[in-house]
Each structure stands twice: as structure tokens, then as C-alpha cells.
Amino acid sequence: MRSFDWVLYLLVFTVVVGTLFANERSADAPEPPPTVLESDGPTLPPPSILDEQILVQVDEPKDGIGTAFAINTKGDWVTARHVVDGCNSVGLLIAPDQYVPAARVTVDPDHDLALISTGRSPAAVKLDLGSPLRVGAEGYHVGYPQGRPGEVATRLMSRSKLITRGRRDGQEPILAWAEIGRTQGLTGTLGGISGGPVFDKNGGVRGVIVAESPRRGRIYTAAPSSVEAFLTSLNVPITEGPNEPFTANTYGPQSDNARRRLQVVKVACQVRP
């Protein structure tokens, strides 16, 4: 495979109850993350017109790398829409230099979500899209940042709204997570982790990674309700595969296990001119 650009939305600016323009710095020099939130805090409030608004510019599709995760053993994988939208060919890495081509790619018209179908998948993740969300809850974001295995630990902060402009206009609810740690060796941009899952401490997947704000130390995921609505609309069967709790001290090996079982895989997009 030829080299690819990393795929992850970088935020253009943020609007918080008014208009605040934030010029994003390089991901290599992020600001310190916010104070660590208490775990098992209050239930996350419902969406509000006062929620932070995040604007991203959707450009023309180009070659890229992202992440996907299996939701059953029939070959159905969830990823972010912008990872695969406009690609002429999509492949999933299942072994060194061995990509399985996608038989079908279905994009969500209303959210940054997509379904990749390949015909078979070895093991599914455990989806948890219905349990209450709590401010300060642990989150573990797993995938292929910069095209290599990597993971990030976070705490759930709040609800936000993703506003897209450019090639695609729209808005959708998302969740904001504050970065509190990374496994050793992962520095700089998280490009390539987009489309990957965020696991909670019990090993359940609570959303899909759709954007990052390097300057503010934030990662944004699709709301569980959006993921559930998308899968329900497609009548996709859901199965539960092997899972294990995630902890702040062991999330590196646990993430490796999810990749080794091919619950979480790398996605390659090629766009022919």
C-alpha cells in the first residue's frame, strides 16, 4: 500500500455561548489538559442549546488511514464517516500488509458514522449505548493514531455539538472527553484514530471517535444515541464478543488485546483522481 494522510478532524474553531475563535496550535505542543474530573460524578445532562459548538471544515476526500471496530461476526464494522466517505476503495488490515477489501460501505446521512461490510469478522466488541453517562467517567480511546497502534485515556467532560461545513453541511450531538494520559511513545497528532471506539472502564464501547482538539486536549466522540439510531436504521445484528475491564494502569495491554483479536482494526482509504 502506498503512504496515506492521517484521517482525523482537526477543529477549526469553537463557539461557547457566543463566539470564541481559538487558533489551534500544533498537536506537538498541546496545552496542559484540564483538571482531572472526579469519577462517578453526576449524570451527564441532556443536550442543551448552551452546549459547546465545535466547527470542522470537511474538505474533498483524499487517501487516508483510520480505525474501525467490529459489532458482530458477520463482517460489520463501525467507523467515522469522514474516514471512508468518497473513497474509491476501502480495506481493513487483518495481518501485516494484508488488507481485506470492503464489500460495501454505508454512510450515515445525518452523523459522522459509517458501516463497513466485509462478510466476516473474528470477534465483536461489547456495545453499551444505553447505560447512563456520568461526568468524569473514564474513557479509553483505541485505534491507530499516526497509522500505528496507540491509545489515550480520558475523562468525560460534557455534551457538545459538531457543526460541519464545506463538502458536507450538518450538525450532530457529540461528547467531549478531556485527555489525561497516553501510552508510552504516543506523542503529537492522533490522526488515524478517528473511527475507533471509546471503551468505558467495564469494557463497553460508548461511542465512535470523530474529532480532536490538540490545543485543548480534547477528543470528541459520536453520541451513543446517534450510533444506536444508525445501526437500528440498517437493522444490523449486534453480537457481544470477548471483553475485559479497562483501567488507568493497564489500558495499553487491554487495547493490544482488542487489536490482536481484530475487534479493532486499521482502515485504509484510497481515492483515485
Side-chain angles (χ1 to χ4, degrees):
M1 304 283 295
R2 58 178 174 154
S3 61
F4 295 91
D5 295 313
W6 313 126
V7 178
L8 182 66
Y9 279 155
L10 296 179
L11 305 185
V12 179
F13 59 78
T14 304
V15 184
V16 188
V17 196
T19 305
L20 171 64
F21 294 88
N23 295 319
E24 299 297 342
R25 297 187 303 173
S26 165
D28 293 313
E31 289 184 347
T35 302
V36 176
L37 302 169
E38 293 292 333
S39 61
D40 299 322
T43 301
L44 190 69
S48 165
I49 61 172
L50 301 182
D51 288 342
E52 172 190 49
Q53 297 183 15
I54 306 301
L55 177 67
V56 298
Q57 182 71 26
V58 183
D59 298 323
E60 291 300 312
K62 57 183 179 180
D63 292 354
I65 291 290
T67 302
F69 57 93
I71 57 171
N72 56 38
T73 56
K74 298 181 180 295
D76 292 317
W77 313 75
V78 171
T79 189
R81 173 176 172 167
H82 72 267
V83 170
V84 295
D85 198 12
C87 303
N88 294 107
S89 63
V90 173
L92 304 183
L93 184 68
I94 61 169
D97 298 320
Q98 183 180 349
Y99 284 83
V100 171
R104 183 175 64 257
V105 175
T106 306
V107 299
D108 188 331
D110 301 316
H111 307 100
D112 190 7
L113 296 167
L115 187 75
I116 302 171
S117 300
T118 61
R120 180 179 177 275
S121 39
V125 300
K126 173 187 175 182
L127 286 179
D128 184 356
L129 305 176
S131 297
L133 292 162
R134 295 189 176 276
V135 176
E138 300 168 25
Y140 300 97
H141 305 251
V142 180
Y144 288 85
Q146 304 172 39
R148 301 187 296 271
E151 45 278 336
V152 179
T154 63
R155 294 282 191 184
L156 180 60
M157 289 187 60
S158 63
R159 295 187 186 273
S160 298
K161 182 182 292 184
L162 181 69
I163 310 294
T164 52
R165 294 289 183 266
R167 183 170 177 266
R168 176 168 61 90
D169 291 345
Q171 57 182 346
E172 62 183 280
I174 55 175
L175 304 182
W177 305 76
E179 183 177 327
I180 59 172
R182 300 182 177 190
T183 46
Q184 187 174 6
L186 177 56
T187 60
T189 178
L190 297 175
I193 203 173
S194 194
V198 53
F199 291 91
D200 64 17
K201 64 181 181 180
N202 298 316
V205 171
R206 308 307 300 269
V208 182
I209 304 166
V210 296
E212 72 163 327
S213 177
R215 176 178 176 270
R216 305 182 68 217
R218 303 284 195 274
I219 300 178
Y220 297 90
T221 62
S225 58
S226 300
V227 181
E228 184 174 36
F230 176 50
L231 297 179
T232 299
S233 71
L234 298 177
N235 197 28
V236 178
I238 306 296
T239 57
E240 183 176 316
N243 62 85
E244 55 190 335
F246 277 66
T247 72
N249 294 325
T250 62
Y251 67 94
Q254 290 152 344
S255 299
D256 287 337
N257 288 340
R259 284 184 289 257
R260 189 177 301 111
R261 290 189 291 253
L262 297 183
Q263 294 172 297
V264 179
V265 298
K266 184 192 295 187
V267 180
C269 158
Q270 285 189 318
V271 179
R272 291 191 295 270

